[in-house]
Amino acid sequence: KRMADDKDVLRDVWYGRIPTCFTLYQDEITEREAEPYYLLLPRVSYITLVTDKVKKHFQKVMKQEDMEEMWFEYEGTPLKWHYPIGLLFDLHASNVALPWSITVHFKNFPERDLLHCPSNSLIEAHFMSTIKEADTLKHKGQVINDMQKKDHKQLWMGLQNDKFDQFWAMNRKLMEYPTEEGGFRYIPFRIYQTMSDRPFIQKLFRPVTAEGQSHTLGDLLKEVFPAAITNDDDQKKYQVVIHGIEPMLETPVQWLSEHLSYPDNFLHISVIPTPTD
Amino acid sequence: MSGELEKARDLYLEEAAFRLFCKQLVLHSQALGDGWVWEDMKESEDGYMKKTLLKAGPVSAPSRDCGQRSPRDEPAELELEAQEHPLLGQAFFALHPCRTQEFMSPIVTAAKGENRSLNYIAAWLSVVGPVVGLSLPLSYATAAWPSPAAPD
């Protein structure tokens, strides 16, 4: 068996941060003026998991009865807490000037667009069920099912408390595969675009061909989202972004899966229109 | 140990088998007229099985709990979790899949032992459906299901 050994990439991905400015929505009722609040958001985490300080900050100028469940919006789009922060940024705000400007709401929860998030245990439940789905694709679920409850807890606590070593001591087991197979059974990936009714595209895709050749990011896109690939003579229409970068289309998907997956073990790939200016 | 692995492999449902079981189940439902349909997504090969049932009353989503359990742990419960529907994008309640193997394993093993054909999806639905008021008539269990080709 072999495992991910490119620790620098794993660290860079883990410690990715997005400078963010939180501003209270103009129609919220305050007792005095609400100052904006600045935070470095961890890309791999969830927005409702790391914004206690934002809530406390606005609590100082608001009455308790005017504060319902906190939710976030970027330029009119409600931000889904159950997508990792880095994905939300890549998908909605890739080519804008930093800091990322997020609007904070305490009223009129958009029931049609967002899931409620009453507690961190719900984020944990969502995280664990996604990681389990990923392992079902990678190892028929055998690795995650063989873990103890405390091992699952270690994955979650590692993410919640931003402990790289604690998380990876356990997550490395989810990244193993038999050498003779050349990779996972299937690659857990989701492809997102803003101009779509469907939240994302997800299909079964193997890391190697029947002949043992590595499948690349280009192969993956050709199969599930051919429009994202630019033909030689055409103007580039789309950017394919993971963790804020555009990986080369020649990159093997197995390598991407081992190094650029989010803690939930999925590759969250954003396909966004190339900026025209 | 190899017996355990064999069992786990049997319980892993491939996409082709999943689609076939769903198709068979919908055909059986059409003959019965009890409302299961297959919905195709436009511009895609994806789809989902659907039955609409209107019920008055509150819905709750208790927290879930997974991981290996010792025999002394509390008995199995099926738990609901709010999620985003992967095809429709709207909020829906999903049954937490963690205990699936626990209750499906005896069913699959028994059917094998008695050399009886089994529709995995019908068997699964018959266990979890009643949680949300979707009961399957007995004919789903007694129907003869052609088994799918063995996965790769």
Side-chain angles (χ1 to χ4, degrees):
Chain A
K1 296 200 170 189
R2 53 154 301 197
M3 65 194 119
D5 51 8
D6 212 338
K7 246 191 159 184
D8 291 342
V9 178
L10 302 182
R11 269 182 202 281
D12 288 346
V13 165
W14 183 271
Y15 290 110
R17 295 289 188 270
I18 300 166
T20 307
C21 171
F22 291 92
T23 312
L24 192 64
Y25 181 56
Q26 56 187 16
D27 288 358
E28 299 287 338
I29 301 157
T30 59
E31 298 191 291
R32 44 181 203 279
E33 200 185 340
E35 298 283 329
Y37 191 80
Y38 293 85
L39 261 188
L40 282 175
L41 295 180
R43 272 187 164 267
V44 296
S45 193
Y46 297 94
I47 196 160
T48 44
L49 189 60
V50 292
T51 45
D52 276 354
K53 286 179 177 167
V54 175
K55 191 173 173 184
K56 286 210 181 85
H57 171 79
F58 292 119
Q59 243 163 6
K60 286 188 276 187
V61 298
M62 292 179 75
K63 282 201 188 124
Q64 196 62 43
E65 65 257 36
D66 292 325
M67 298 180 82
E68 291 162 19
E69 183 173 347
M70 181 169 65
W71 58 280
F72 304 98
E73 165 241 316
Y74 172 69
E75 290 193 343
T77 304
L79 297 174
K80 296 174 178 176
W81 65 263
H82 64 286
Y83 288 2
I85 291 165
L87 163 63
L88 292 173
F89 180 81
D90 291 345
L91 188 60
H92 300 299
S94 259
N95 294 299
V96 300
L98 293 172
W100 186 17
S101 179
I102 291 180
T103 306
V104 183
H105 293 255
F106 289 95
K107 281 249 187 300
N108 302 319
F109 192 91
E111 306 280 347
R112 289 173 61 94
D113 301 304
L114 300 183
L115 301 174
H116 285 284
C117 183
S119 74
N120 285 357
S121 69
L122 211 74
I123 311 173
E124 180 182 359
H126 168 75
F127 171 71
M128 286 315 302
S129 99
T130 314
I131 220 172
K132 178 145 185 157
E133 181 176 343
D135 196 57
T136 304
L137 294 165
K138 287 157 85 167
H139 311 106
K140 298 185 174 185
Q142 282 162 4
V143 179
I144 197 84
N145 286 332
D146 282 348
M147 285 182 183
Q148 303 289 320
K149 215 190 258 186
K150 68 170 170 49
D151 301 334
H152 290 177
K153 214 67 190 173
Q154 184 175 333
L155 288 166
W156 167 247
M157 294 305 281
L159 176 64
Q160 178 174 259
N161 300 327
D162 195 21
K163 302 281 188 218
F164 175 85
D165 292 322
Q166 185 185 1
F167 176 82
W168 270 99
M170 197 51 65
N171 197 51
R172 57 201 281 274
K173 298 186 184 173
L174 295 165
M175 292 297 173
E176 290 175 358
Y177 57 86
T179 318
E180 65 274 15
E181 281 169 29
F184 303 134
R185 189 172 160 75
Y186 296 109
I187 298 294
F189 75 92
R190 287 175 183 167
I191 296 180
Y192 303 78
Q193 46 173 339
T194 47
M195 296 300 163
S196 170
D197 293 340
R198 288 177 63 173
F200 49 77
I201 299 171
Q202 180 178 339
K203 286 190 183 301
L204 295 177
F205 191 78
R206 290 193 188 271
V208 287
T209 64
E211 295 78 38
Q213 289 269 16
S214 290
H215 272 142
T216 65
L217 178 59
D219 296 331
L220 172 69
L221 292 168
K222 226 173 283 166
E223 171 134 351
V224 305
F225 197 161
I229 297 184
T230 315
N231 294 321
D232 288 341
D233 303 328
D234 294 349
Q235 192 90 347
K236 187 171 145 190
K237 275 204 292 212
Y238 294 104
Q239 291 179 307
V240 178
V241 180
I242 316 173
H243 293 297
I245 58 164
E246 294 180 75
M248 290 190 305
L249 295 182
E250 296 77 24
T251 317
V253 287
Q254 177 63 32
W255 189 91
L256 289 174
S257 190
E258 287 174 58
H259 295 90
L260 296 193
S261 285
Y262 279 80
D264 64 13
N265 276 243
F266 268 86
L267 277 173
H268 295 290
I269 305 167
S270 298
V271 176
I272 54 173
T274 306
T276 44
D277 47 34
Chain B
M1 186 63 208
S2 70
E4 281 296 305
L5 274 177
E6 208 57 53
K7 225 163 52 185
R9 212 164 283 145
D10 285 350
L11 285 169
Y12 190 86
L13 196 60
E14 290 289 345
E15 187 179 7
F18 169 80
R19 283 177 181 268
L20 182 66
F21 285 144
C22 289
K23 206 169 140 192
Q24 291 173 345
L25 190 145
V26 167
L27 281 175
H28 187 80
S29 176
Q30 278 168 354
L32 233 58
D34 73 340
W36 286 101
V37 292
W38 181 265
E39 295 276 340
D40 280 311
M41 296 296 293
K42 55 174 190 220
E43 292 164 25
S44 148
E45 296 157 4
D46 295 333
Y48 57 97
M49 214 169 72
K50 179 177 112 174
K51 174 168 171 167
T52 307
L53 180 79
L54 297 174
K55 248 179 102 184
V59 188
S60 64
S63 67
R64 100 294 154 256
D65 192 358
C66 60
Q68 277 214 342
R69 287 164 177 250
S70 69
R72 266 182 297 167
D73 282 344
E74 58 274 29
E77 270 176 32
L78 293 166
E79 285 162 344
L80 293 172
E81 189 184 326
Q83 285 188 356
E84 173 181 54
H85 194 284
L87 297 177
L88 303 174
Q90 67 200 30
F92 80 122
F93 286 100
L95 278 162
H96 208 261
C98 271
R99 323 300 294 272
T100 309
Q101 183 164 341
E102 239 167 86
F103 63 75
M104 286 306 292
S105 177
I107 302 175
V108 173
T109 312
K112 270 237 164 87
E114 296 163 24
N115 221 356
R116 192 156 42 78
S117 72
L118 179 81
N119 181 317
Y120 185 99
I121 295 298
W124 176 82
L125 253 184
S126 74
V127 178
V128 302
V131 176
V132 291
L134 293 168
S135 297
L136 291 188
L138 197 61
S139 66
Y140 281 93
T142 52
W145 306 101
S147 52
D152 56 330

